[in-house]
Amino acid sequence: MKKFISILLLSLSSICIGQDFPEGMVVVEFNASFNKTNDVAWLSKLTDCETQRVDIAADSRWSSEYKIVVVPTLVVFNNNEEVKRFQANIMMTMEATRKEVQDAIDEIVMEAF
């Protein structure tokens, strides 16, 4: 019985790993509270995706798990798999434009057809 429970718990934990974000297309902004002035202002205006913000200063797990080396960083996930990443410059501001990120999202959506 102990062996069965151990196997069950191990199976459930492996299913949950990498499931931090909803299924489907999600764009996540990883930033830190000390860099709030450089939040990506147009994040919520992206279409055909969900958007989320993560403060890596509040929980360092995020930076190590997703290899965030500069903030802000935008990561595009499709069904919990990273498909595109946009990183800030040395001044900790996002150089990628809304159009560049939206074009990446649109390309991923079109590839699904």
Side-chain angles (χ1 to χ4, degrees):
M1 185 67 164
K2 279 185 176 181
K3 192 173 188 179
F4 173 74
I5 291 173
S6 296
I7 292 171
L8 181 64
L9 288 174
L10 183 61
S11 298
L12 289 174
S13 65
S14 65
I15 290 170
C16 294
I17 293 173
Q19 299 292 319
D20 291 319
F21 306 109
E23 288 293 315
M25 187 78 61
V26 183
V27 179
V28 180
E29 177 191 16
F30 293 92
N31 205 350
S33 52
F34 63 81
N35 192 43
K36 188 139 182 76
T37 57
N38 291 322
D39 275 351
V40 178
W42 42 260
L43 182 68
S44 64
K45 295 180 180 169
L46 295 172
T47 60
D48 297 320
C49 65
E50 290 189 43
T51 59
Q52 292 189 4
R53 294 181 191 272
V54 172
D55 180 0
I56 65 168
D59 184 351
S60 62
R61 172 183 73 94
W62 297 105
S63 59
S64 59
E65 185 173 340
Y66 292 100
K67 297 176 179 48
I68 306 301
V69 295
V70 63
V71 290
T73 294
L74 293 178
V75 179
V76 181
F77 293 95
N78 190 19
N79 295 321
N80 286 300
E81 180 181 327
E82 180 177 335
V83 291
K84 189 75 175 171
R85 180 178 289 237
F86 300 90
Q87 294 180 312
N89 59 23
I90 197 165
M91 300 300 293
M92 297 193 324
T93 59
M94 181 56 62
E95 286 190 338
T97 65
R98 176 180 166 197
K99 182 181 180 343
E100 290 172 323
V101 177
Q102 187 65 60
D103 286 350
I105 293 165
D106 294 344
E107 183 178 324
I108 295 163
V109 168
M110 291 306 291
E111 286 175 358
F113 288 107

